[in-house]
Amino acid sequence: MALDKNWFTELCEEGGSAFSMKLVKKLHEEKTPYQHIEIYQTEFFGNLMAIDGFVMLTERDNFIYHEMISHPALFCHPAPRKVVVIGGGDCGTLQEVLKHEEVLEAWQVEIDERVTRLAEAYFPALCQANNDSRANFFFGDGIKWMEEAEPESIDLIIVDSTDPIGPAEGLFSEPFYRNCQRALTQNGLVVQQSESPLFHLDILTGMRDAMRAAGFNNLMSLQFPQCTYPSGWWTATLAGKDINLKSFREDAAANRPFKTSFYNVEMHRAAMALPQFMKEAFKISD
Ligand code: SAM
């Protein structure tokens, strides 16, 4: 939203607050059949992509989100071979996934091809793995794609979606999680962006309840900073079939043969530590 033409402002009604970034100029704007996409050059955050007025990513801080939605889940799985990203059209999550040599096949299932084409033009640093021979792209609805996925065929599903409104609403529902459960291998897991613990605790607990109702007995919510999202504090929630989400391949994580800027073994452990109000909301005892 442009309260002042020199600033991009995202209003967060449910948090009674707003976050603004100072702009240099608008680079692109278009309405697709799915959503309204805006791209700006900002003064301090590099390029910014917003969808329907909500910040999706900035060049400056996307590394935190992209690393934390991918590496903890990848190091939790004993041997992730096939990974599917639902949403994630900016390709940043796909790029992190493909840093793992043991991943043999990765899919990005994004409803809106324009998000990916614009990411290639305005966020080329996130699209460097797009030509990797293991990368596959499908442009269509992730909900339907998961309905039709082969049973027990996927090791890790990463839901990197917009907020639970519009085309993403069904990605936060029990029927979708049931289809994920069916498509996952025995050690498989889902990880999904799960909003702000401060502003959206109702969404987060609702997601966890729906995941449990769909048959996921093991849940783990991770928390990390994300300064350009509402409240500056974000979560990702892991839901596993037969997998202990508290342990991860610590040696492999410590000796990872690729560069990260946020993720390391200590940040993985730190993200698993929950403040008391979250433990109480999730009914986790000490
Ligand atoms: N990191 C971001 C965040 O938390 O705000 C999400 C970024 S990514 C650009 C979100 C993508 O999810 C969008 O490109 C949107 O088109 C896609 N998306 C929304 N609903 C979807 C669905 N049902 N199937 C596939 N992709 C979907």
Side-chain angles (χ1 to χ4, degrees), residues 35 51 55-56 65 86-90 109-112 115 140-143 160-162 167-168 171 193 229 234:
Q35 48 214 356
I51 291 185
V55 174
M56 289 293 114
Y65 175 92
I86 301 289
D90 54 69
V109 180
E110 161 63 53
I111 202 165
D112 192 346
V115 175
D141 185 358
I143 300 167
D160 178 7
S161 74
T162 39
L171 294 171
Q193 76 87 3
Y229 287 174
W234 216 247

Side-chain angles (χ1 to χ4, degrees), residues 248-262:
F248 59 103
R249 291 180 288 127
E250 292 201 24
D251 284 350
N255 298 306
R256 62 198 177 284
F258 53 82
K259 187 180 161 356
T260 54
S261 297
F262 190 82

Side-chain angles (χ1 to χ4, degrees), residues 86-107:
I86 301 289
D90 54 69
C91 308
T93 299
L94 182 70
Q95 179 164 276
E96 295 305 316
V97 167
L98 290 168
K99 288 180 177 175
H100 291 249
E101 284 168 0
E102 66 273 31
V103 172
L104 303 178
E105 183 182 350
W107 283 83

Side-chain angles (χ1 to χ4, degrees), residues 225-237:
Q226 194 64 42
C227 83
T228 59
Y229 287 174
S231 85
W233 189 14
W234 216 247
T235 61
T237 295

Side-chain angles (χ1 to χ4, degrees), residues 25-124:
K25 61 181 178 196
K26 184 185 282 181
L27 297 172
H28 186 83
E29 181 170 14
E30 74 179 77
K31 279 206 164 67
T32 74
Y34 304 100
Q35 48 214 356
H36 176 209
I37 308 176
E38 294 163 276
I39 299 181
Y40 296 94
Q41 182 185 350
T42 73
E43 245 181 51
F44 295 100
F45 285 86
N47 287 354
L48 153 72
M49 182 190 286
I51 291 185
D52 293 337
F54 299 111
V55 174
M56 289 293 114
L57 70 147
T58 75
E59 285 183 310
R60 187 164 186 184
D61 75 339
N62 78 83
F63 67 95
I64 306 177
Y65 175 92
H66 285 137
E67 292 182 18
M68 291 308 284
I69 202 166
S70 54
H71 300 309
L74 281 152
F75 283 120
C76 264
H77 193 284
R81 301 277 185 257
K82 181 168 173 181
V83 179
V84 175
V85 180
I86 301 289
D90 54 69
C91 308
T93 299
L94 182 70
Q95 179 164 276
E96 295 305 316
V97 167
L98 290 168
K99 288 180 177 175
H100 291 249
E101 284 168 0
E102 66 273 31
V103 172
L104 303 178
E105 183 182 350
W107 283 83
Q108 180 181 286
V109 180
E110 161 63 53
I111 202 165
D112 192 346
E113 184 170 355
R114 289 301 300 154
V115 175
T116 299
R117 299 298 161 237
L118 291 170
E120 285 165 350
Y122 295 104
F123 297 85

